[in-house]
Amino acid sequence: MSLKACIFDLDGVIVDTAKYHYLAWKKLTVMLNIHFNEKDNERLKGVSRMASLDIILEIGRVTLDEKKKDEYAAMKNEWYLDYIRRMTPDEILPGSLELISELKNAGIKVALGSASKNTPLILERLGIEKLFDAVADGNVVSKAKPDPEVFNEAAKMVGVAPEDCVVFEDALAGVEAALNAGMFCIGIGSEKILTDAHYVVSGLDKINLRKLRKIMK
Ligand code: BG6
Ligand code: MG
């Protein structure tokens, strides 16, 4: 492969929104009398809003009809947005801007591949809405990770073949999605958890273009 594009997941890679998702889901689970803790929250990383609600209902052994589920998902999202609207650019995770600018200077395309329907608002709050060459998010795809759709869409948007793309992902479902797309995957987090990724670093501040090229050899 030749490195032509890098596709970044948003939540957990560029910014830590997991804590806000947790607080919003927690509020809902308290209301529904479901025991839900931070360990359970790990299972929701990279998973779409509705699939997250399904996991929570499964934990609480609660069954709801579709209409009620839509209502609760919308409620959770409103609480989540209360946090997101207050985000500032200093919440961008260390190393993100440095790596992206290094890649761009080297002529490598940078794209975003996120499950979140709130991607436009988050990018705006962080002041990076113009940073990426392309944005594929929960508003343009219908199949959730581990389906490769979101990464394939991002690759298509920047006109690069999947085998020439590298994905940066913090979630298990996201790593699987990248592999399903036939892309090289750098896991962001713990190598004990992201065992299928080609290589794992703790954050974007632990990688640069030179190191990436070396890993991919
Ligand atoms: C992913 C997060 O990026 O987006 C998940 O890791 C979240 O936790 C999913 O459920 C959907 O996000 P949103 O903002 O559309 O509810
Ligand atoms: Mg993520």
Side-chain angles (χ1 to χ4, degrees):
M1 86 170 276
S2 62
L3 174 59
K4 292 193 183 133
C6 285
I7 307 173
F8 294 84
D9 171 48
L10 176 64
D11 296 311
V13 173
I14 304 287
V15 68
D16 176 21
T17 44
K19 55 183 187 242
Y20 302 132
H21 279 295
Y22 176 67
L23 291 170
W25 283 125
K26 184 73 194 170
K27 214 163 164 173
L28 185 74
T29 54
V30 168
M31 205 180 93
L32 296 177
N33 231 331
I34 294 173
H35 287 283
F36 174 70
N37 57 32
E38 291 196 50
K39 198 166 158 255
D40 299 322
N41 194 54
E42 284 301 305
R43 290 178 60 193
L44 310 184
K45 286 190 177 166
V47 176
S48 72
R49 196 180 306 165
M50 267 313 187
S52 299
L53 179 59
D54 284 335
I55 293 173
I56 286 171
L57 295 177
E58 181 204 299
I59 292 171
R61 295 197 178 84
V62 173
T63 328
L64 294 174
D65 61 33
E66 290 305 311
K67 194 168 159 269
K68 259 291 172 243
K69 277 179 24 181
D70 285 346
E71 220 173 89
Y72 287 140
M75 215 183 255
K76 178 266 172 179
N77 196 51
E78 276 311 310
W79 292 325
Y80 176 65
L81 288 177
D82 286 342
Y83 296 107
I84 298 307
R85 288 192 193 103
R86 281 181 270 156
M87 284 175 80
T88 57
D90 56 303
E91 289 186 58
I92 297 174
L93 289 171
S96 313
L97 296 180
E98 292 82 348
L99 176 62
I100 289 170
S101 111
E102 194 188 7
L103 294 168
K104 285 175 118 176
N105 287 338
I108 295 163
K109 297 277 183 204
V110 292
L112 202 74
S114 167
S116 174
K117 290 186 156 74
N118 294 308
T119 296
L121 175 65
I122 296 173
L123 294 181
E124 187 210 305
R125 293 305 307 149
L126 298 177
I128 53 170
E129 62 270 62
K130 300 237 163 67
L131 186 65
F132 296 92
D133 297 306
V135 174
D137 66 12
N139 300 298
V140 298
V141 299
S142 54
K143 295 185 206 116
K145 299 171 186 176
D147 190 283
E149 187 187 14
V150 73
F151 294 137
N152 281 331
E153 191 56 39
K156 216 192 290 166
M157 284 174 172
V158 292
V160 172
E163 61 266 29
D164 295 331
C165 295
V166 173
V167 168
F168 295 84
E169 250 295 347
D170 71 308
L172 272 172
V175 170
E176 296 314 318
L179 300 184
N180 289 336
M183 299 177 181
F184 195 89
C185 185
I186 304 287
I188 304 293
S190 153
E191 54 185 28
K192 287 203 190 87
I193 296 172
L194 304 174
T195 47
D196 286 349
H198 291 99
Y199 194 84
V200 179
V201 289
S202 60
L204 293 179
D205 55 341
K206 298 290 184 301
I207 193 151
N208 55 30
L209 183 53
R210 193 178 46 83
K211 188 168 172 187
L212 182 59
R213 289 201 195 279
K214 212 167 138 197
I215 292 165
M216 291 171 62
K217 261 199 192 137

